[in-house]
Structures are given as structure tokens and as C-alpha cells.
Amino acid sequence: MPRVIVTGGAGKLGRAVVTELISSGWQVVVLDKVRPPHPEAVFVPVDLTDYGQVLDATHGVEERYDTVDALVHLAAIPAPGVVPDQATFANNMNSTFHVVTAARRTGVRTIVWASSETVLGLPFDTPPPYIPVDEDYPPRPESTYSLVKTLEERMAAELCRWDPQLKMIGLRFSNVMEPEDYAAFPSFDADARLRKWNLWGYIDARDGAQAVRLALESTATGMEVYIIANADTVMSRPNAELVAEVFPGVEIRGELGQNDTLLSIAKARAQLGYEPRFSWRDQVPR
């Protein structure tokens, strides 16, 4: 059985990722400050800002594991404004450099990490260049958190240039949701601007976990980024109405669909075989 380190495995997305990977035959080692609710996973409490701890844990822990085949890096201060900007930058940038460097120096060549929809220009106070948005335009970070995600993507590109055998896949996750979050969704229809900040997108944690598994299974090498969202928006109101109200004048590329995601997942569908399995519409009476 292959073994994968998952950082942030106790988090909202991390819990779903650990469940998905264990059920798919992976041995999972979680590096986090909090124990995940998975008895099958090996938990190692690690401060990711301490490179010595990260490198040691990547090499193995006596009587528990001794080799690692892949890395999934999810741990981070999860959004802008949670802590002072300097703390966001220091924690997230250094943690990512530490886990990626430790993985490379222990022979790991398969790395999947959580990038972010924020690199697309969220909260879209400056409108997007076109709708639906995709991976074809350069990052537009508008916060310290997003700046770090942009730098991580550039770092991955350079590391893969240095090492052609390395695979680094950045998943630009939308706003992560669990089923208990869906009860609030019908209230969003009252004001189109409540959720305009990410083009009314979301990602069910279970579908996010599917994307992580597919990225690990990919045989590609080099660096790639993918938008990972659900197939629909958080809104019942039609896309054409929302876009006309909130983003008048923005170029429309292709079909908007009635409630199709405006964070294009076409690339992930084509290259990873990603297909969302869950929707809030199946779980909230309307």
C-alpha cells in the first residue's frame, strides 16, 4: 500500500481527504497540531513552521512508518484576516516551503497541494476579465493570503523545472462546504452580492477529496493548477440574471448555463477525470 503524508488532515477539507484516501487503499500519515477523527491514520503532532520537525517526520517515526510515497499539503491559516498579515505570510509560506523541501529531500516526487480560488482575483472588487473564469489568465492576488498561494504556484513551477521527474499539482479549491452548511444556501438568493466574491462558487469537501485522489493518481509530471469547484453555484437564481446585475459589461465566454459553476472546472474534468458527485440541491428542500 502506498503511503501519503497529509498535512492539515484534521481540517474541514483534510478530514474528507483522509477518509477518501484510506478508502482508496492509501496508508495515511497526518501531520497536524490536532488529531483527526480517523483511527486508521497515523497521527504525528508537528509544527510545520519548524523545518527540523517536518524533515524528521517525513523521514519516518520509529515503529510507525519509515517511507513516504507522496505528499498532500493542506495545512494553512485558511483565509485572509484571521491573523495579522505578517503572521499569515510567515506561517503559510514557510510551512509550504518546509513540507515541499522535506518531501523532495526524502525522495518524494508526487506532491499535491491546496492552492486557492483567491488567486483568480477574489473578492472581485475588480471584476474578472471574463466569465466563467478559468486557469488561462495570470494570478491576481488581492490579499496576503492569496499572494502566498500565488508564490506557491510560482515556486512549484521552478521546482519542477529543476527536477523534470517531479509532479506538483495545485488545486485551486473553492469555498469548502460540508452537508451541514447547506441549510444556509437558500438565503443567498435574497442578495446577489452576498456571494459575488467568488462568483457564487463552492466545493463540497467530499468532491474536493476526490480531486486530491485523482491528482495523486495522475501519471503526469511537471506543475499544473486546476480550479476545483462543484458543478453548480450556491444560488437558485439563474446565472444570466446574477452576472447582469453584479458584473455588467464583463465579457461572457461560452455558455453560462442555468446554475452551472462560473469557476470553470473544464480543465480538471478533461485532464484529471474530475466529476463532482454532490450538490447542495440534493440535500436542501426547495
Side-chain angles (χ1 to χ4, degrees):
M1 296 171 63
R3 182 177 291 114
V4 58
I5 282 177
V6 178
T7 71
K12 196 171 190 179
L13 177 60
R15 294 190 298 269
V17 168
V18 173
T19 297
E20 175 83 12
L21 296 183
I22 289 173
S23 67
S24 300
W26 288 83
Q27 293 183 5
V28 175
V29 176
V30 172
L31 305 187
D32 206 328
K33 292 182 178 180
V34 178
R35 182 181 296 276
H38 300 87
E40 306 95 330
V42 175
F43 170 60
V44 183
V46 169
D47 178 356
L48 298 181
T49 65
D50 183 332
Y51 178 64
Q53 291 186 38
V54 175
L55 181 62
D56 195 28
T58 306
H59 272 291
V61 174
E62 290 177 353
E63 300 182 5
R64 303 184 77 186
Y65 65 96
D66 57 5
T67 59
V68 173
D69 302 291
L71 167 69
V72 174
H73 177 45
L74 307 176
I77 293 169
V82 177
V83 298
D85 297 339
Q86 181 276 337
T88 297
F89 188 94
N91 182 90
N92 290 4
M93 194 74 245
N94 286 329
S95 294
T96 298
F97 184 77
H98 290 168
V99 298
V100 169
T101 300
R104 291 178 59 239
R105 290 184 175 172
T106 54
V108 173
R109 291 294 178 268
T110 296
I111 298 173
V112 178
W113 90 98
S115 186
S116 169
E117 64 181 356
T118 62
V119 304
L120 298 166
L122 276 63
F124 294 125
D125 292 336
T126 299
Y130 50 83
I131 297 174
V133 297
D134 57 24
E135 299 89 349
D136 289 344
Y137 64 92
R140 294 179 165 195
E142 300 287 355
S143 67
T144 301
Y145 172 84
S146 183
L147 177 61
V148 172
K149 293 298 185 183
T150 300
L151 294 174
E152 289 173 356
E153 291 187 2
R154 181 57 188 266
M155 178 176 69
E158 298 302 332
L159 293 177
C160 289
R161 179 177 62 84
W162 294 355
D163 182 356
Q165 300 306 310
L166 184 62
K167 176 181 77 176
M168 293 190 68
I169 295 181
L171 301 178
R172 293 175 172 178
F173 289 110
S174 189
N175 187 200
V176 179
M177 297 288 180
E178 295 177 308
E180 53 267 32
D181 298 318
Y182 293 144
F185 279 30
S187 67
F188 299 151
D189 278 348
D191 183 352
R193 295 182 180 274
L194 283 175
R195 295 280 310 188
K196 70 91 181 174
W197 54 269
N198 74 339
L199 296 182
W200 307 283
Y202 76 107
I203 178 67
D204 187 291
R206 296 163 294 181
D207 283 321
Q210 176 206 163
V212 169
R213 175 179 56 78
L214 290 169
L216 286 172
E217 293 172 352
S218 169
T219 59
T221 55
M223 181 270 197
E224 280 290 355
V225 294
Y226 298 93
I227 295 171
I228 302 297
N230 272 76
D232 58 346
T233 68
V234 301
M235 307 291 279
S236 297
R237 294 172 60 182
N239 285 339
E241 178 183 309
L242 297 171
V243 172
E245 177 181 339
V246 181
F247 296 107
V250 172
E251 178 187 353
I252 305 301
R253 291 193 179 180
E255 298 294 326
L256 292 180
Q258 179 76 3
N259 299 116
D260 292 352
T261 178
L262 299 177
L263 305 170
S264 174
I265 55 175
K267 181 179 176 182
R269 279 171 158 156
Q271 296 186 12
L272 295 179
Y274 170 68
E275 192 58 51
R277 299 169 294 188
F278 302 97
S279 170
W280 72 272
R281 297 167 206 277
D282 299 329
Q283 301 187 52
V284 177
R286 287 175 290 156

